[in-house]
Amino acid sequence: MYLTKMESQPAYQKFLKSEAYFHGLLWCIVLFYPYVKYMGRDGGYPMSFFHELNSLFFKMTISYFLYLWFFPKAKKAKYTPVVIIVFVLNTLGYRYTDQLFHPEDGNFWLHYVANTLTYLSFGIVFFTIYTVKNTYKKQLQIDKLIQEKQKAEINVLKARVNPHFLFNILNIIYANALKKDDKTPELILKLSDNFRYVLHQGQSEHVALHKEIQHIKDYIHLQKERLASKVIVHFSEEVEEPDMQIAPLLCVGFIENAFKFTSILKGDNHIIEINIQLKNNLFTFSCKNPFNKKAIEEIDVDWKESGIGIKNTKERLQLLYPQKHSLKIEEAESVFEVALNLEL
């Protein structure tokens, strides 16, 4: 079943098409080589075209018997006697039909050995073709397994994203409901939009950049409502192509981290700076927030490890954009800064 799926892949179909052309070219060379060799000589090639077709038939018979039946066998030693019998019969068959074109030609054993060596040579050629084909097929299988493994890993990481992300938003709504804030209905609507995005758009391989940015804006809005005067958010965007595709939920982990560690600081009006740009297919994201390492060391470990997490986002970036991203994280004494570049 797995090989059937493999053989239906476009890459493998293209390979099979190329192989068919190669086989056709190979047999054309075998058929017409004697005529090319004798071209320009007096009388040309002395044998008839039907003689060459007869020779070609027996060469193709033994070659494809080996290629299609013998080479794919797992235990070849078990079927070696069959191969020997087929070789003998094929050589005898050719010798018998070949005498119809020149019955006066004697020396049976000389021709028999020569023909056997010819068929062995074609067997080696087709074993090489079979090995190349089989190696290519196995490489496709390996590539497919790697892709499926990466997809499974990405899905696991997304599954880790969703519960933490939604849990944090629910905490925001709960806090506002306790205060009987008039903005609670609006926040519930924002929560609904976030649910819809995370559960639907968030499961897609790619989304339009403008949708991802809107999701980020909604998340920032919810966090600002939760933290009130504790934070001031400076958000800016400059996007040349809003419909450019990007993997979802890549930046929100860094933003969540910024709000989380700003929330434990004393005082008000802590500034969080978030910038998003897209120029010449280069996506740039930066997030800068105040930071107090001593305060972080004193908080509960479970709280510190909750949320999407930078480690999670790093893993997704490695899987989704292995050679197309750069991530720089600087942790100074009072500032935490993230700079992400993606080639889209």
Side-chain angles (χ1 to χ4, degrees):
M1 175 63 73
Y2 184 78
L3 288 181
T4 301
K5 291 181 180 179
M6 178 62 61
E7 290 168 359
S8 65
Q9 287 189 8
Y12 191 70
Q13 289 295 318
K14 186 177 180 180
F15 176 82
L16 291 180
K17 189 175 181 180
S18 300
E19 184 195 13
Y21 287 134
F22 174 77
H23 283 232
L25 177 62
L26 173 65
W27 293 122
C28 285
I29 292 173
V30 172
L31 179 61
F32 293 105
Y33 172 73
Y35 297 98
V36 175
K37 181 179 179 181
Y38 279 81
M39 189 177 294
R41 299 186 186 182
D42 293 340
Y45 184 58
M47 300 299 177
S48 68
F49 187 69
F50 288 105
H51 173 272
E52 293 307 305
L53 286 177
N54 178 68
S55 175
L56 183 70
F57 171 78
F58 284 96
K59 289 171 183 173
M60 292 178 68
T61 299
I62 194 64
S63 297
Y64 287 113
F65 167 76
L66 295 171
Y67 184 69
L68 300 175
W69 185 82
F70 179 63
F71 293 152
K73 298 294 184 184
K75 298 179 180 179
K76 292 182 174 58
K78 179 180 177 181
Y79 300 97
T80 301
V82 178
V83 173
I84 294 173
I85 292 172
V86 172
F87 255 87
V88 171
L89 293 176
N90 193 77
T91 307
L92 290 174
Y94 172 68
R95 181 57 185 161
Y96 174 78
T97 56
D98 188 57
Q99 285 184 324
L100 299 177
F101 295 95
H102 37 84
E104 72 285 351
D105 192 3
N107 205 334
F108 171 83
W109 289 109
L110 178 62
H111 287 287
Y112 185 87
V113 172
N115 291 330
T116 301
L117 292 174
T118 299
Y119 297 149
L120 283 173
S121 299
F122 276 94
I124 293 172
V125 170
F126 273 82
F127 180 74
T128 303
I129 297 172
Y130 174 81
T131 302
V132 171
K133 180 180 178 180
N134 205 40
T135 302
Y136 182 74
K137 183 188 290 186
K138 287 181 179 179
Q139 186 59 50
L140 285 179
Q141 291 175 349
I142 292 171
D143 291 343
K144 184 175 177 62
L145 288 172
I146 291 173
Q147 290 174 2
E148 290 176 349
K149 178 177 178 290
Q150 289 180 341
K151 189 173 182 180
E153 290 173 345
I154 290 169
N155 288 336
V156 168
L157 291 171
K158 283 183 178 179
R160 253 195 270 166
V161 167
N162 298 346
H164 289 304
F165 181 66
L166 297 176
F167 175 76
N168 289 339
I169 294 177
L170 284 171
N171 276 343
I172 297 170
I173 302 296
Y174 176 70
N176 280 272
L178 288 178
K179 295 186 297 182
K180 297 182 180 180
D181 196 319
D182 292 338
K183 294 181 180 180
T184 300
E186 179 188 354
L187 295 179
I188 292 175
L189 182 60
K190 292 288 186 183
L191 174 63
S192 175
D193 291 339
N194 274 277
F195 262 111
R196 186 179 299 108
Y197 186 87
V198 173
L199 296 177
H200 295 285
Q201 301 292 336
Q203 300 307 312
S204 303
E205 291 186 9
H206 296 91
V207 298
L209 181 56
H210 69 87
K211 293 183 179 180
E212 180 74 4
I213 292 176
Q214 185 58 51
H215 173 68
I216 289 172
K217 289 179 178 177
D218 291 343
Y219 180 79
I220 291 173
H221 177 79
L222 289 168
Q223 289 284 16
K224 285 169 65 177
E225 289 296 327
R226 179 173 74 93
L227 298 174
S229 61
K230 197 172 189 68
V231 298
I232 297 174
V233 179
H234 294 164
F235 178 84
S236 62
E237 61 176 299
E238 186 178 352
V239 176
E240 292 180 344
E241 299 181 50
D243 292 324
M244 181 70 71
Q245 298 292 298
I246 189 173
L249 307 174
L250 284 179
C251 301
V252 72
F254 299 120
I255 297 172
E256 181 191 25
N257 186 76
F259 279 107
K260 184 200 305 187
F261 292 111
T262 302
S263 68
I264 65 173
L265 300 178
K266 296 179 180 180
D268 294 331
N269 298 326
H270 296 291
I271 297 175
I272 297 176
E273 299 178 5
I274 301 170
N275 176 262
I276 294 175
Q277 289 186 351
L278 177 65
K279 293 182 178 180
N280 300 320
N281 296 340
L282 179 64
F283 173 80
T284 303
F285 168 83
S286 64
C287 183
K288 185 177 180 181
N289 60 274
F291 181 73
N292 187 324
K293 189 172 184 178
K294 185 177 180 180
I296 293 173
E297 292 174 350
E298 295 175 354
I299 63 176
D300 182 74
V301 174
D302 292 334
W303 183 91
K304 190 175 3 180
E305 294 181 353
S306 68
I308 296 171
I310 290 178
K311 181 181 178 182
N312 191 335
T313 306
K314 283 182 177 179
E315 291 174 358
R316 289 190 66 211
L317 285 168
Q318 286 295 335
L319 290 169
L320 296 168
Y321 301 94
Q323 303 295 329
K324 295 185 177 182
H325 83 277
S326 64
L327 178 62
K328 184 178 181 181
I329 299 176
E330 292 186 347
E331 184 181 308
E333 184 176 342
S334 59
V335 176
F336 191 92
E337 187 170 0
V338 175
L340 171 65
N341 293 322
L342 285 179
E343 294 179 25
L344 300 182

